[in-house]
Amino acid sequence: MTATILDGKAIAARLRAEIATQVAARGAAGAAAPGLATVLVGDDPASAVYVRNKHKACAEVGMHSIGIQLPVATSQAELLGVVAELNARADVHGILVQLPLPAHIDALAVISAIDVHKDVDCLHPENVGLLAQKGRQPRFAPCTPAGVMHILQVASIPLAGANAVVLGRSNIVGMPLSLLLVRADATVTIAHSRTRDLAAVCRAADVLVAAVGVPEMVRSDWVKPGATVIDVGINRIADPAAKSGSRLVGDVAYAEVAERAGAITPVPGGVGPMTIAMLLSNTLRAAEAETKEPR
Ligand code: GUN
């Protein structure tokens, strides 16, 4: 079997075009452009690239964005002050504090200080709590997990009653994605570094999501024939044959798994492009909620 390729890049492009249309309609109706604020502390080059891409994406869909860059020595009190200012700004509907933060800052304290209505990352404990409780209506879904769910939905992958295995239990991906899969009525197993016989656990999956950050860890004999495999990993590995000397791979051994899976996301061009699209979607949602029910 050769797997269907789930083209996240194309799915994200369609979603961004839809968001641009909705932003334009909002503008035509006299509402303010949705606004996203990012806060970057320190000079980690990868984080700087991620943040730059978020601003570029905002501009492309007609959203307004502000980027606040703070030195690595910024104190927690100063950062909390910046978050408080952004909470108070009427032109800011979404706030994203880029992680990781420097070690001297308590990330939980900072995330907990973000106005829950502007928490477009869905990392605030209250918003995670809404996600985790049956019968609650979460304000947002966290961006990368929501991107995975959007791909599954567009590809019409059945989730109700399906065995979903999520490899990885991070706060940003594994844990919240597991909650979204439960909400979609999947039977969810969260597997991790302490799981016994990981290969056998993964082989039981109808939907297998890898989010561990270990290059090409999932091999074809970990995959049930015909399963849907979603690769959240983005790992740079040395490749002397590449011009740059390196290349990106996922957490899944793509070539061999694609021979066995029913559907698979590539890296790059799978889940990656979805994250920013969902951030835009959440920012639009925050702006719409504010227009409907001004606070
Ligand atoms: N760093 C890596 N991924 C993320 C994310 O989804 N949100 C934030 N705030 N920081 C990140």
Side-chain angles (χ1 to χ4, degrees), residues 76 79-80 83 101 105-114 124-125:
Q76 183 165 319
L79 181 53
L80 288 171
V83 169
L101 288 167
I105 293 177
D106 175 356
L108 178 60
V110 175
I111 288 164
S112 303
I114 295 172
H124 190 293

Side-chain angles (χ1 to χ4, degrees), residues 17-267:
E18 283 166 28
I19 292 168
T21 304
Q22 289 174 50
V23 170
R26 223 181 111 76
L36 174 72
T38 65
V39 183
L40 175 60
V41 184
D43 44 20
D44 175 58
S47 289
V49 171
Y50 291 144
V51 167
R52 203 163 51 239
N53 287 341
K54 288 164 188 168
H55 290 282
K56 206 167 134 232
C58 282
E60 280 169 12
V61 297
M63 289 187 186
H64 127 89
S65 70
I66 60 170
I68 294 178
Q69 184 151 11
L70 301 170
V72 69
T74 302
S75 71
Q76 183 165 319
E78 284 167 325
L79 181 53
L80 288 171
V82 167
V83 169
E85 279 170 30
L86 294 172
N87 283 343
R89 275 180 70 151
D91 64 334
V92 170
H93 303 95
I95 301 171
L96 181 143
V97 177
Q98 185 68 26
L99 302 176
L101 288 167
H104 66 276
I105 293 177
D106 175 356
L108 178 60
V110 175
I111 288 164
S112 303
I114 295 172
D115 180 336
V116 291
H117 301 92
K118 299 190 178 189
D119 174 35
V120 285
D121 247 349
C122 194
L123 293 175
H124 190 293
E126 181 182 317
N127 285 328
V128 179
L130 291 173
L131 210 60
Q133 291 188 337
K134 195 175 170 187
R136 306 279 182 255
Q137 189 56 51
R139 296 185 182 93
F140 304 105
C143 301
T144 301
V148 171
M149 297 304 287
H150 191 79
I151 290 176
L152 292 170
Q153 189 205 335
V154 168
S156 302
I157 305 297
L159 293 176
N163 282 331
V165 173
V166 178
L167 252 178
R169 51 181 160 177
S170 70
N171 289 338
I172 290 185
V173 183
M175 190 57 78
L177 176 58
S178 303
L179 297 173
L180 291 179
L181 286 164
V182 169
R183 295 182 84 88
D185 297 326
T187 302
V188 180
T189 302
I190 304 174
H192 46 76
S193 53
R194 303 291 295 271
T195 298
R196 259 181 259 134
D197 201 351
L198 208 46
V201 170
C202 291
R203 260 196 309 274
D206 301 308
V207 176
L208 175 61
V209 183
V212 274
V214 179
E216 301 181 317
M217 177 169 157
V218 176
R219 315 301 305 197
S220 68
D221 62 351
W222 290 33
V223 174
K224 182 199 278 192
T228 299
V229 178
I230 305 289
D231 191 350
V232 184
I234 302 178
N235 311 291
R236 189 164 287 285
I237 61 165
D239 179 2
K243 227 198 278 174
S244 63
S246 69
R247 68 190 163 94
L248 291 180
V249 297
D251 293 349
V252 175
Y254 182 84
E256 62 179 67
V257 172
E259 291 297 312
R260 192 169 166 102
I264 188 168
T265 58
V267 175

Side-chain angles (χ1 to χ4, degrees), residues 22-23 25-27 29 31-32 34 93 281-294:
Q22 289 174 50
V23 170
R26 223 181 111 76
H93 303 95
S281 171
N282 280 349
T283 304
L284 173 60
R285 194 166 164 161
E288 299 274 86
E290 166 65 23
T291 305
K292 223 165 108 190
E293 259 182 75

